[in-house]
Amino acid sequence: MAALVVSCCNNSSSLTPSRDLPKSFFDSTKIIKRISLTKPSTLQVFFCLHRPFPLFSKNTRARATAMATGSVEEVLPPALDSTSSPPSVFDGTTRLYISYTCPYAQRVWITRNCKGLQDKIKLVPIDLQNRPAWYKEKVYPANKVPSLEHNNEVRGESLDLVKYIDSHFEGPPLFPDDPAKRELAEELLSYTDTFNRSVITSFKGDAENEVGAAFDYIETALSKFDDGPFFLGQFSLVDIAYAPFIERFQPYLLDVKKYDVATGRPKLAAWIEEMSKIEAYKQTRRDPQELVEIYKKRFLAL
């Protein structure tokens, strides 16, 4: 149980031109020429949240912009297990070690994608059911995921890593400058373990009564700012911190407890819908039924 309330995994277990923007926007080439591919911009953040417009589909510059904002689908490498050879650690390559099924690792994976760092941070998936011995011996002695190999150091802990990537790499900023939003952001990030623990505890009891308070807290938090559907109004690291867990909790509670967390919570329902549109997040999602089966094996066997 404890492994599920820390920030790592260790246990073995669209917009349309006609409706949303004037045609002149899509016809203008001057706007496109002013896009900076090396500095964050409002347009870059927009691409992080939505698919590229058709105008860019055959444009080389458009592909670079899409890569810089996480909207390019990448071919995922197979997970490494006990029979796999280790990478050349500390050879100058920046590597993100994850598990495809770990929600903590998924946080950092989403951040990497949203910053457009697919070409700069190599994804190295680990099979936690049959993990390679060299991972603990040569990479990360804690033997957990996620971990980040960068500048000849290996760092861990998911919330630390999402902040590290946001502040040490180029790409759209994912943490607000507004003092009020920063204060709420820190509060919500600190609450993530409490939220996860409360929901997981409900798996063994009356879900509707026990989990209600945790999701009511989320509904209230989503009501703080009215400049967008996300926790801080606009998409941020806070949304990334919660998304992998709500992705798992919602289908599991519905399947096992017949409890829909979005019922009676319109802000949460809208948040879930908007999150489903974010390309950088969609690329990290697993099949909901697969996640339900993983949780059933873990919690119904207790």
Side-chain angles (χ1 to χ4, degrees), residues 47-48 66-74 76 96 106-118 121 123 165 172 174 240 278-285:
F47 274 102
C48 182
M67 180 60 78
T69 51
S71 59
V72 167
E73 194 82 27
E74 65 178 321
L76 299 180
L96 174 60
Q106 189 180 359
R107 286 171 167 173
V108 193
W109 184 9
I110 297 167
T111 304
R112 163 201 182 254
N113 289 359
C114 240
K115 299 286 284 187
L117 299 169
Q118 290 92 330
I121 299 181
L123 207 63
I165 289 176
L174 297 172
I240 292 173
I278 297 176
E279 292 298 317
Y281 166 54
K282 287 168 65 176
Q283 294 169 25
T284 71
R285 296 183 66 177

Side-chain angles (χ1 to χ4, degrees), residues 51-150:
R51 297 188 178 200
F53 302 128
L55 173 66
F56 297 98
S57 60
K58 296 182 180 180
N59 191 301
T60 317
R61 183 186 292 266
R63 179 170 177 79
T65 302
M67 180 60 78
T69 51
S71 59
V72 167
E73 194 82 27
E74 65 178 321
V75 178
L76 299 180
L80 303 182
D81 61 19
S82 61
T83 66
S84 305
S85 300
S88 300
V89 182
F90 303 138
D91 63 354
T93 303
T94 300
R95 298 180 177 89
L96 174 60
Y97 297 87
I98 66 164
S99 161
Y100 285 133
T101 59
C102 172
Y104 298 98
Q106 189 180 359
R107 286 171 167 173
V108 193
W109 184 9
I110 297 167
T111 304
R112 163 201 182 254
N113 289 359
C114 240
K115 299 286 284 187
L117 299 169
Q118 290 92 330
D119 283 345
K120 298 191 175 180
I121 299 181
K122 183 177 181 180
L123 207 63
V124 183
I126 299 294
D127 182 352
L128 295 182
Q129 305 296 329
N130 185 24
R131 74 190 72 190
W134 54 256
Y135 181 64
K136 179 179 181 180
E137 296 168 358
K138 299 177 179 294
V139 180
Y140 192 40
N143 203 24
K144 302 180 291 188
V145 294
S147 68
L148 180 72
E149 177 189 340
H150 182 234

Side-chain angles (χ1 to χ4, degrees), residues 205-221:
D206 186 336
E208 186 168 356
N209 290 331
E210 296 180 20
V211 81
F215 279 100
D216 286 344
Y217 182 98
I218 298 298
E219 179 73 8
T220 300

Side-chain angles (χ1 to χ4, degrees), residues 4 68 197 238 300:
L4 291 174
R197 188 181 300 110
V238 178
L300 295 185

